PDB file of all heavy atoms in Angstrom:
ATOM      1  N   PHE A   1     174.653  44.050 -43.573  1.00  0.00           N
ATOM      2  CA  PHE A   1     174.499  45.205 -42.690  1.00  0.00           C
ATOM      3  C   PHE A   1     174.349  46.484 -43.508  1.00  0.00           C
ATOM      4  O   PHE A   1     173.470  47.312 -43.246  1.00  0.00           O
ATOM      5  CB  PHE A   1     175.695  45.298 -41.739  1.00  0.00           C
ATOM      6  CG  PHE A   1     175.641  46.471 -40.814  1.00  0.00           C
ATOM      7  CD1 PHE A   1     174.877  46.432 -39.662  1.00  0.00           C
ATOM      8  CD2 PHE A   1     176.368  47.625 -41.094  1.00  0.00           C
ATOM      9  CE1 PHE A   1     174.824  47.530 -38.796  1.00  0.00           C
ATOM     10  CE2 PHE A   1     176.326  48.723 -40.235  1.00  0.00           C
ATOM     11  CZ  PHE A   1     175.551  48.673 -39.091  1.00  0.00           C
ATOM     12  N   GLN A   2     175.189  46.652 -44.534  1.00  0.00           N
ATOM     13  CA  GLN A   2     175.150  47.856 -45.368  1.00  0.00           C
ATOM     14  C   GLN A   2     173.827  47.989 -46.134  1.00  0.00           C
ATOM     15  O   GLN A   2     173.399  49.104 -46.432  1.00  0.00           O
ATOM     16  CB  GLN A   2     176.329  47.867 -46.344  1.00  0.00           C
ATOM     17  CG  GLN A   2     177.684  48.031 -45.686  1.00  0.00           C
ATOM     18  CD  GLN A   2     177.838  49.346 -44.954  1.00  0.00           C
ATOM     19  OE1 GLN A   2     177.334  50.380 -45.368  1.00  0.00           O
ATOM     20  NE2 GLN A   2     178.539  49.310 -43.833  1.00  0.00           N
ATOM     21  N   LEU A   3     173.193  46.868 -46.443  1.00  0.00           N
ATOM     22  CA  LEU A   3     171.907  46.911 -47.153  1.00  0.00           C
ATOM     23  C   LEU A   3     170.776  47.482 -46.289  1.00  0.00           C
ATOM     24  O   LEU A   3     169.840  48.084 -46.808  1.00  0.00           O
ATOM     25  CB  LEU A   3     171.491  45.513 -47.617  1.00  0.00           C
ATOM     26  CG  LEU A   3     172.237  44.894 -48.780  1.00  0.00           C
ATOM     27  CD1 LEU A   3     171.803  43.446 -48.975  1.00  0.00           C
ATOM     28  CD2 LEU A   3     172.000  45.695 -50.062  1.00  0.00           C
ATOM     29  N   TYR A   4     170.843  47.271 -44.964  1.00  0.00           N
ATOM     30  CA  TYR A   4     169.691  47.556 -44.116  1.00  0.00           C
ATOM     31  C   TYR A   4     169.873  48.631 -43.051  1.00  0.00           C
ATOM     32  O   TYR A   4     168.868  49.214 -42.627  1.00  0.00           O
ATOM     33  CB  TYR A   4     169.236  46.262 -43.417  1.00  0.00           C
ATOM     34  CG  TYR A   4     168.686  45.257 -44.380  1.00  0.00           C
ATOM     35  CD1 TYR A   4     169.481  44.236 -44.890  1.00  0.00           C
ATOM     36  CD2 TYR A   4     167.359  45.319 -44.802  1.00  0.00           C
ATOM     37  CE1 TYR A   4     168.985  43.312 -45.790  1.00  0.00           C
ATOM     38  CE2 TYR A   4     166.853  44.397 -45.702  1.00  0.00           C
ATOM     39  CZ  TYR A   4     167.671  43.400 -46.194  1.00  0.00           C
ATOM     40  OH  TYR A   4     167.174  42.490 -47.083  1.00  0.00           O
ATOM     41  N   TYR A   5     171.081  48.883 -42.582  1.00  0.00           N
ATOM     42  CA  TYR A   5     171.208  49.739 -41.399  1.00  0.00           C
ATOM     43  C   TYR A   5     170.668  51.146 -41.657  1.00  0.00           C
ATOM     44  O   TYR A   5     170.903  51.732 -42.708  1.00  0.00           O
ATOM     45  CB  TYR A   5     172.646  49.769 -40.875  1.00  0.00           C
ATOM     46  CG  TYR A   5     173.550  50.792 -41.518  1.00  0.00           C
ATOM     47  CD1 TYR A   5     173.838  51.982 -40.855  1.00  0.00           C
ATOM     48  CD2 TYR A   5     174.098  50.574 -42.767  1.00  0.00           C
ATOM     49  CE1 TYR A   5     174.666  52.923 -41.434  1.00  0.00           C
ATOM     50  CE2 TYR A   5     174.927  51.499 -43.360  1.00  0.00           C
ATOM     51  CZ  TYR A   5     175.205  52.677 -42.685  1.00  0.00           C
ATOM     52  OH  TYR A   5     176.011  53.610 -43.262  1.00  0.00           O
ATOM     53  N   ASN A   6     169.914  51.647 -40.676  1.00  0.00           N
ATOM     54  CA  ASN A   6     169.243  52.957 -40.741  1.00  0.00           C
ATOM     55  C   ASN A   6     168.351  53.093 -41.972  1.00  0.00           C
ATOM     56  O   ASN A   6     168.225  54.172 -42.543  1.00  0.00           O
ATOM     57  CB  ASN A   6     170.255  54.108 -40.681  1.00  0.00           C
ATOM     58  CG  ASN A   6     170.630  54.445 -39.268  1.00  0.00           C
ATOM     59  OD1 ASN A   6     169.917  54.104 -38.318  1.00  0.00           O
ATOM     60  ND2 ASN A   6     171.749  55.109 -39.090  1.00  0.00           N
ATOM     61  N   ARG A   7     167.726  51.979 -42.348  1.00  0.00           N
ATOM     62  CA  ARG A   7     166.805  51.979 -43.482  1.00  0.00           C
ATOM     63  C   ARG A   7     165.473  51.363 -43.067  1.00  0.00           C
ATOM     64  O   ARG A   7     165.394  50.594 -42.120  1.00  0.00           O
ATOM     65  CB  ARG A   7     167.395  51.190 -44.649  1.00  0.00           C
ATOM     66  CG  ARG A   7     168.525  51.899 -45.345  1.00  0.00           C
ATOM     67  CD  ARG A   7     169.089  51.025 -46.470  1.00  0.00           C
ATOM     68  NE  ARG A   7     169.884  51.747 -47.411  1.00  0.00           N
ATOM     69  CZ  ARG A   7     171.108  52.212 -47.195  1.00  0.00           C
ATOM     70  NH1 ARG A   7     171.651  52.057 -46.019  1.00  0.00           N
ATOM     71  NH2 ARG A   7     171.766  52.834 -48.135  1.00  0.00           N
ATOM     72  N   THR A   8     164.450  51.696 -43.838  1.00  0.00           N
ATOM     73  CA  THR A   8     163.113  51.151 -43.633  1.00  0.00           C
ATOM     74  C   THR A   8     162.749  50.302 -44.838  1.00  0.00           C
ATOM     75  O   THR A   8     162.898  50.739 -45.977  1.00  0.00           O
ATOM     76  CB  THR A   8     162.070  52.283 -43.487  1.00  0.00           C
ATOM     77  OG1 THR A   8     162.440  53.111 -42.380  1.00  0.00           O
ATOM     78  CG2 THR A   8     160.679  51.721 -43.266  1.00  0.00           C
ATOM     79  N   TRP A   9     162.259  49.095 -44.577  1.00  0.00           N
ATOM     80  CA  TRP A   9     161.741  48.230 -45.633  1.00  0.00           C
ATOM     81  C   TRP A   9     160.241  48.464 -45.656  1.00  0.00           C
ATOM     82  O   TRP A   9     159.524  48.133 -44.713  1.00  0.00           O
ATOM     83  CB  TRP A   9     162.074  46.784 -45.316  1.00  0.00           C
ATOM     84  CG  TRP A   9     161.845  45.808 -46.428  1.00  0.00           C
ATOM     85  CD1 TRP A   9     161.250  46.011 -47.635  1.00  0.00           C
ATOM     86  CD2 TRP A   9     162.225  44.429 -46.414  1.00  0.00           C
ATOM     87  NE1 TRP A   9     161.244  44.866 -48.385  1.00  0.00           N
ATOM     88  CE2 TRP A   9     161.837  43.876 -47.646  1.00  0.00           C
ATOM     89  CE3 TRP A   9     162.856  43.619 -45.477  1.00  0.00           C
ATOM     90  CZ2 TRP A   9     162.052  42.534 -47.963  1.00  0.00           C
ATOM     91  CZ3 TRP A   9     163.068  42.293 -45.797  1.00  0.00           C
ATOM     92  CH2 TRP A   9     162.672  41.757 -47.026  1.00  0.00           C
ATOM     93  N   ILE A  10     159.759  49.079 -46.735  1.00  0.00           N
ATOM     94  CA  ILE A  10     158.338  49.388 -46.897  1.00  0.00           C
ATOM     95  C   ILE A  10     157.643  48.139 -47.451  1.00  0.00           C
ATOM     96  O   ILE A  10     158.036  47.631 -48.502  1.00  0.00           O
ATOM     97  CB  ILE A  10     158.132  50.563 -47.882  1.00  0.00           C
ATOM     98  CG1 ILE A  10     159.020  51.742 -47.524  1.00  0.00           C
ATOM     99  CG2 ILE A  10     156.648  50.915 -47.973  1.00  0.00           C
ATOM    100  CD1 ILE A  10     158.597  52.589 -46.377  1.00  0.00           C
ATOM    101  N   TRP A  11     156.633  47.663 -46.743  1.00  0.00           N
ATOM    102  CA  TRP A  11     155.883  46.482 -47.164  1.00  0.00           C
ATOM    103  C   TRP A  11     154.560  46.900 -47.782  1.00  0.00           C
ATOM    104  O   TRP A  11     154.188  48.075 -47.726  1.00  0.00           O
ATOM    105  CB  TRP A  11     155.654  45.549 -45.976  1.00  0.00           C
ATOM    106  CG  TRP A  11     156.906  45.141 -45.280  1.00  0.00           C
ATOM    107  CD1 TRP A  11     158.104  44.832 -45.860  1.00  0.00           C
ATOM    108  CD2 TRP A  11     157.109  45.001 -43.875  1.00  0.00           C
ATOM    109  NE1 TRP A  11     159.037  44.497 -44.902  1.00  0.00           N
ATOM    110  CE2 TRP A  11     158.449  44.595 -43.672  1.00  0.00           C
ATOM    111  CE3 TRP A  11     156.288  45.174 -42.763  1.00  0.00           C
ATOM    112  CZ2 TRP A  11     158.979  44.358 -42.400  1.00  0.00           C
ATOM    113  CZ3 TRP A  11     156.816  44.944 -41.509  1.00  0.00           C
ATOM    114  CH2 TRP A  11     158.144  44.529 -41.335  1.00  0.00           C
ATOM    115  N   LYS A  12     153.839  45.946 -48.327  1.00  0.00           N
ATOM    116  CA  LYS A  12     152.547  46.231 -48.957  1.00  0.00           C
ATOM    117  C   LYS A  12     151.622  46.939 -47.969  1.00  0.00           C
ATOM    118  O   LYS A  12     150.931  47.884 -48.321  1.00  0.00           O
ATOM    119  CB  LYS A  12     151.912  44.932 -49.459  1.00  0.00           C
ATOM    120  CG  LYS A  12     150.588  45.133 -50.133  1.00  0.00           C
ATOM    121  CD  LYS A  12     150.010  43.818 -50.617  1.00  0.00           C
ATOM    122  CE  LYS A  12     148.645  44.040 -51.222  1.00  0.00           C
ATOM    123  NZ  LYS A  12     148.015  42.796 -51.622  1.00  0.00           N
ATOM    124  N   ASP A  13     151.610  46.485 -46.726  1.00  0.00           N
ATOM    125  CA  ASP A  13     150.699  47.044 -45.730  1.00  0.00           C
ATOM    126  C   ASP A  13     151.434  47.245 -44.408  1.00  0.00           C
ATOM    127  O   ASP A  13     151.043  46.714 -43.373  1.00  0.00           O
ATOM    128  CB  ASP A  13     149.498  46.108 -45.556  1.00  0.00           C
ATOM    129  CG  ASP A  13     148.341  46.768 -44.840  1.00  0.00           C
ATOM    130  OD1 ASP A  13     148.358  48.002 -44.676  1.00  0.00           O
ATOM    131  OD2 ASP A  13     147.422  46.051 -44.425  1.00  0.00           O
ATOM    132  N   GLY A  14     152.548  47.998 -44.452  1.00  0.00           N
ATOM    133  CA  GLY A  14     153.318  48.243 -43.244  1.00  0.00           C
ATOM    134  C   GLY A  14     154.758  48.565 -43.579  1.00  0.00           C
ATOM    135  O   GLY A  14     155.102  48.850 -44.728  1.00  0.00           O
ATOM    136  N   ALA A  15     155.615  48.496 -42.543  1.00  0.00           N
ATOM    137  CA  ALA A  15     157.021  48.811 -42.739  1.00  0.00           C
ATOM    138  C   ALA A  15     157.823  48.338 -41.534  1.00  0.00           C
ATOM    139  O   ALA A  15     157.281  48.217 -40.429  1.00  0.00           O
ATOM    140  CB  ALA A  15     157.212  50.313 -42.930  1.00  0.00           C
ATOM    141  N   GLY A  16     159.116  48.091 -41.748  1.00  0.00           N
ATOM    142  CA  GLY A  16     160.027  47.733 -40.668  1.00  0.00           C
ATOM    143  C   GLY A  16     161.281  48.576 -40.751  1.00  0.00           C
ATOM    144  O   GLY A  16     161.856  48.736 -41.828  1.00  0.00           O
ATOM    145  N   TYR A  17     161.700  49.137 -39.611  1.00  0.00           N
ATOM    146  CA  TYR A  17     162.873  50.009 -39.555  1.00  0.00           C
ATOM    147  C   TYR A  17     164.021  49.307 -38.838  1.00  0.00           C
ATOM    148  O   TYR A  17     163.852  48.771 -37.748  1.00  0.00           O
ATOM    149  CB  TYR A  17     162.534  51.308 -38.835  1.00  0.00           C
ATOM    150  CG  TYR A  17     163.711  52.240 -38.664  1.00  0.00           C
ATOM    151  CD1 TYR A  17     164.443  52.684 -39.764  1.00  0.00           C
ATOM    152  CD2 TYR A  17     164.075  52.694 -37.407  1.00  0.00           C
ATOM    153  CE1 TYR A  17     165.532  53.533 -39.605  1.00  0.00           C
ATOM    154  CE2 TYR A  17     165.151  53.552 -37.237  1.00  0.00           C
ATOM    155  CZ  TYR A  17     165.872  53.970 -38.342  1.00  0.00           C
ATOM    156  OH  TYR A  17     166.936  54.809 -38.182  1.00  0.00           O
ATOM    157  N   PHE A  18     165.193  49.324 -39.462  1.00  0.00           N
ATOM    158  CA  PHE A  18     166.399  48.683 -38.954  1.00  0.00           C
ATOM    159  C   PHE A  18     167.362  49.779 -38.476  1.00  0.00           C
ATOM    160  O   PHE A  18     168.200  50.256 -39.246  1.00  0.00           O
ATOM    161  CB  PHE A  18     167.052  47.841 -40.053  1.00  0.00           C
ATOM    162  CG  PHE A  18     166.142  46.790 -40.612  1.00  0.00           C
ATOM    163  CD1 PHE A  18     165.278  47.073 -41.667  1.00  0.00           C
ATOM    164  CD2 PHE A  18     166.133  45.515 -40.080  1.00  0.00           C
ATOM    165  CE1 PHE A  18     164.428  46.096 -42.170  1.00  0.00           C
ATOM    166  CE2 PHE A  18     165.288  44.532 -40.578  1.00  0.00           C
ATOM    167  CZ  PHE A  18     164.434  44.828 -41.621  1.00  0.00           C
ATOM    168  N   ALA A  19     167.229  50.193 -37.227  1.00  0.00           N
ATOM    169  CA  ALA A  19     168.055  51.271 -36.684  1.00  0.00           C
ATOM    170  C   ALA A  19     169.484  50.786 -36.468  1.00  0.00           C
ATOM    171  O   ALA A  19     169.706  49.651 -36.043  1.00  0.00           O
ATOM    172  CB  ALA A  19     167.465  51.764 -35.367  1.00  0.00           C
ATOM    173  N   ALA A  20     170.451  51.659 -36.736  1.00  0.00           N
ATOM    174  CA  ALA A  20     171.848  51.327 -36.454  1.00  0.00           C
ATOM    175  C   ALA A  20     172.090  51.350 -34.949  1.00  0.00           C
ATOM    176  O   ALA A  20     172.768  50.480 -34.409  1.00  0.00           O
ATOM    177  CB  ALA A  20     172.781  52.300 -37.165  1.00  0.00           C
ATOM    178  N   LYS A  21     171.513  52.338 -34.272  1.00  0.00           N
ATOM    179  CA  LYS A  21     171.703  52.477 -32.823  1.00  0.00           C
ATOM    180  C   LYS A  21     171.035  51.309 -32.093  1.00  0.00           C
ATOM    181  O   LYS A  21     169.814  51.125 -32.170  1.00  0.00           O
ATOM    182  CB  LYS A  21     171.116  53.794 -32.331  1.00  0.00           C
ATOM    183  CG  LYS A  21     171.385  54.045 -30.872  1.00  0.00           C
ATOM    184  CD  LYS A  21     170.845  55.380 -30.431  1.00  0.00           C
ATOM    185  CE  LYS A  21     171.151  55.575 -28.954  1.00  0.00           C
ATOM    186  NZ  LYS A  21     170.590  56.823 -28.475  1.00  0.00           N
ATOM    187  N   GLY A  22     171.854  50.508 -31.426  1.00  0.00           N
ATOM    188  CA  GLY A  22     171.338  49.386 -30.647  1.00  0.00           C
ATOM    189  C   GLY A  22     170.739  48.270 -31.481  1.00  0.00           C
ATOM    190  O   GLY A  22     170.169  47.338 -30.941  1.00  0.00           O
ATOM    191  N   ARG A  23     170.835  48.393 -32.810  1.00  0.00           N
ATOM    192  CA  ARG A  23     170.216  47.421 -33.712  1.00  0.00           C
ATOM    193  C   ARG A  23     168.733  47.231 -33.398  1.00  0.00           C
ATOM    194  O   ARG A  23     168.176  46.138 -33.491  1.00  0.00           O
ATOM    195  CB  ARG A  23     170.929  46.076 -33.677  1.00  0.00           C
ATOM    196  CG  ARG A  23     172.380  46.103 -34.088  1.00  0.00           C
ATOM    197  CD  ARG A  23     172.541  45.996 -35.588  1.00  0.00           C
ATOM    198  NE  ARG A  23     173.929  46.027 -35.964  1.00  0.00           N
ATOM    199  CZ  ARG A  23     174.636  44.956 -36.311  1.00  0.00           C
ATOM    200  NH1 ARG A  23     174.087  43.789 -36.346  1.00  0.00           N
ATOM    201  NH2 ARG A  23     175.901  45.086 -36.633  1.00  0.00           N
ATOM    202  N   ASP A  24     168.065  48.333 -33.008  1.00  0.00           N
ATOM    203  CA  ASP A  24     166.628  48.279 -32.720  1.00  0.00           C
ATOM    204  C   ASP A  24     165.843  48.013 -33.985  1.00  0.00           C
ATOM    205  O   ASP A  24     166.195  48.479 -35.075  1.00  0.00           O
ATOM    206  CB  ASP A  24     166.155  49.594 -32.099  1.00  0.00           C
ATOM    207  CG  ASP A  24     166.658  49.811 -30.695  1.00  0.00           C
ATOM    208  OD1 ASP A  24     167.008  48.818 -30.018  1.00  0.00           O
ATOM    209  OD2 ASP A  24     166.712  50.982 -30.264  1.00  0.00           O
ATOM    210  N   PHE A  25     164.762  47.262 -33.839  1.00  0.00           N
ATOM    211  CA  PHE A  25     163.845  46.967 -34.931  1.00  0.00           C
ATOM    212  C   PHE A  25     162.444  47.355 -34.482  1.00  0.00           C
ATOM    213  O   PHE A  25     162.012  46.965 -33.403  1.00  0.00           O
ATOM    214  CB  PHE A  25     163.892  45.472 -35.285  1.00  0.00           C
ATOM    215  CG  PHE A  25     162.876  45.069 -36.314  1.00  0.00           C
ATOM    216  CD1 PHE A  25     163.073  45.347 -37.655  1.00  0.00           C
ATOM    217  CD2 PHE A  25     161.712  44.417 -35.934  1.00  0.00           C
ATOM    218  CE1 PHE A  25     162.132  44.987 -38.602  1.00  0.00           C
ATOM    219  CE2 PHE A  25     160.767  44.042 -36.875  1.00  0.00           C
ATOM    220  CZ  PHE A  25     160.974  44.330 -38.216  1.00  0.00           C
ATOM    221  N   LYS A  26     161.751  48.139 -35.308  1.00  0.00           N
ATOM    222  CA  LYS A  26     160.356  48.506 -35.066  1.00  0.00           C
ATOM    223  C   LYS A  26     159.596  48.295 -36.357  1.00  0.00           C
ATOM    224  O   LYS A  26     160.096  48.615 -37.436  1.00  0.00           O
ATOM    225  CB  LYS A  26     160.215  49.978 -34.673  1.00  0.00           C
ATOM    226  CG  LYS A  26     160.594  50.297 -33.272  1.00  0.00           C
ATOM    227  CD  LYS A  26     160.275  51.759 -32.992  1.00  0.00           C
ATOM    228  CE  LYS A  26     160.675  52.140 -31.597  1.00  0.00           C
ATOM    229  NZ  LYS A  26     160.467  53.571 -31.357  1.00  0.00           N
ATOM    230  N   ALA A  27     158.384  47.771 -36.228  1.00  0.00           N
ATOM    231  CA  ALA A  27     157.595  47.516 -37.429  1.00  0.00           C
ATOM    232  C   ALA A  27     156.116  47.597 -37.108  1.00  0.00           C
ATOM    233  O   ALA A  27     155.691  47.497 -35.956  1.00  0.00           O
ATOM    234  CB  ALA A  27     157.927  46.138 -37.994  1.00  0.00           C
ATOM    235  N   TRP A  28     155.335  47.747 -38.160  1.00  0.00           N
ATOM    236  CA  TRP A  28     153.884  47.679 -38.042  1.00  0.00           C
ATOM    237  C   TRP A  28     153.359  47.028 -39.306  1.00  0.00           C
ATOM    238  O   TRP A  28     154.015  47.017 -40.351  1.00  0.00           O
ATOM    239  CB  TRP A  28     153.272  49.057 -37.824  1.00  0.00           C
ATOM    240  CG  TRP A  28     153.407  49.974 -39.013  1.00  0.00           C
ATOM    241  CD1 TRP A  28     154.483  50.736 -39.339  1.00  0.00           C
ATOM    242  CD2 TRP A  28     152.446  50.178 -40.032  1.00  0.00           C
ATOM    243  NE1 TRP A  28     154.253  51.404 -40.505  1.00  0.00           N
ATOM    244  CE2 TRP A  28     153.002  51.095 -40.946  1.00  0.00           C
ATOM    245  CE3 TRP A  28     151.159  49.695 -40.271  1.00  0.00           C
ATOM    246  CZ2 TRP A  28     152.323  51.526 -42.077  1.00  0.00           C
ATOM    247  CZ3 TRP A  28     150.488  50.133 -41.392  1.00  0.00           C
ATOM    248  CH2 TRP A  28     151.065  51.039 -42.282  1.00  0.00           C
ATOM    249  N   SER A  29     152.176  46.487 -39.205  1.00  0.00           N
ATOM    250  CA  SER A  29     151.573  45.823 -40.351  1.00  0.00           C
ATOM    251  C   SER A  29     150.058  45.877 -40.223  1.00  0.00           C
ATOM    252  O   SER A  29     149.514  45.689 -39.143  1.00  0.00           O
ATOM    253  CB  SER A  29     152.028  44.364 -40.405  1.00  0.00           C
ATOM    254  OG  SER A  29     151.457  43.702 -41.503  1.00  0.00           O
ATOM    255  N   GLY A  30     149.391  46.126 -41.331  1.00  0.00           N
ATOM    256  CA  GLY A  30     147.944  46.012 -41.393  1.00  0.00           C
ATOM    257  C   GLY A  30     147.163  47.155 -40.806  1.00  0.00           C
ATOM    258  O   GLY A  30     147.154  47.339 -39.609  1.00  0.00           O
TER     259      GLY A  30
END
């Protein structure tokens, strides 16, 4: 949890955000 909460994992062609609030996940690619 500490590694990811309220952080964005930047990918080669996109990104995914791990929100602390509600554990929402949003991402895009390509």
Side-chain angles (χ1 to χ4, degrees):
F1 179 81
Q2 292 298 324
L3 287 173
Y4 293 96
Y5 86 102
N6 276 341
R7 287 178 163 73
T8 301
W9 191 352
I10 310 283
W11 304 321
K12 181 180 177 184
D13 195 12
Y17 177 57
F18 302 87
K21 185 178 180 183
R23 299 275 180 103
D24 290 337
F25 174 77
K26 283 185 181 176
W28 67 277
S29 180

